[in-house]
Amino acid sequence: MAETSDFFALLAAIGGKAGLFPAGGNLARKAVNEIVRAQLVAEGTDLEALRAIRALLGPAAFAEALDGVPAPKTKTLLTRVDPHAPAHAQPGDRVKALLGLADASRAPAAAAAKPAKKASSRKAPAVAPAEPAPLDGKPAPRKRKITGRTALRVSEER
């Protein structure tokens, strides 16, 4: 076959004349499942695409294809189509959630409401007393922090 062949058109033609290919029934099922699985784990598959794929395949074929998706990929798919869904520990629960989203029996979870902020229980920081303005107009000399040997000498003198 030439590289420019439209393989989806060829699959449609074979499907239209399935009587000519009785030995290929199981291979056709496997091919459909692999194509659907590849699309489900693809980056661009969102909730609308999930529902469109289910509508095209029907509930049984869609469930069979989804059942073959690896567990980590189902977690990724569920997170993509329903970002606010509760985390499901078991892969079977994730598949059930995806089936519910696909047949629209379950709506995507709404974003969790952020809790209202409590009033701060901390005391307000103490305000340093304002230093009186010097009489001569010059600013008061800055106090130095004494560290190192000077601090040791000062502490010995006291």
Side-chain angles (χ1 to χ4, degrees):
M1 285 187 219
E3 256 184 64
T4 59
S5 297
D6 183 3
F7 290 102
F8 286 111
L10 292 174
L11 287 173
I14 290 171
K17 302 288 184 173
L20 290 174
F21 304 95
N26 195 31
L27 290 173
R29 182 182 59 78
K30 287 179 183 179
V32 167
N33 285 338
E34 287 302 315
I35 291 169
V36 171
R37 288 178 192 137
Q39 184 56 47
L40 289 175
V41 300
E43 205 51 42
T45 303
D46 57 1
L47 182 59
E48 290 79 26
L50 185 77
R51 288 180 175 168
I53 291 169
R54 184 197 177 273
L56 178 70
L57 297 178
F62 179 77
E64 181 182 344
L66 184 62
D67 192 42
V69 175
K73 302 280 185 172
T74 59
K75 184 175 184 179
T76 304
L77 177 61
L78 182 59
T79 304
R80 190 178 327 121
V81 299
D82 191 5
H84 304 295
H88 297 290
Q90 298 300 320
D93 294 337
R94 290 191 286 261
V95 170
K96 287 178 187 175
L98 285 166
L99 288 172
L101 287 166
D103 68 4
S105 65
R106 180 170 100 62
K114 293 182 181 179
K117 290 187 176 183
K118 293 181 181 178
S120 179
S121 61
R122 294 183 184 176
K123 292 183 179 180
V127 178
E131 295 185 21
L135 299 175
D136 59 357
K138 293 182 180 177
R142 203 175 75 169
K143 293 184 180 181
R144 287 186 346 166
K145 184 173 184 178
I146 301 174
T147 59
R149 288 187 180 174
T150 308
L152 182 60
R153 188 175 44 232
V154 170
S155 66
E156 288 176 353
E157 290 174 1
R158 290 186 184 170

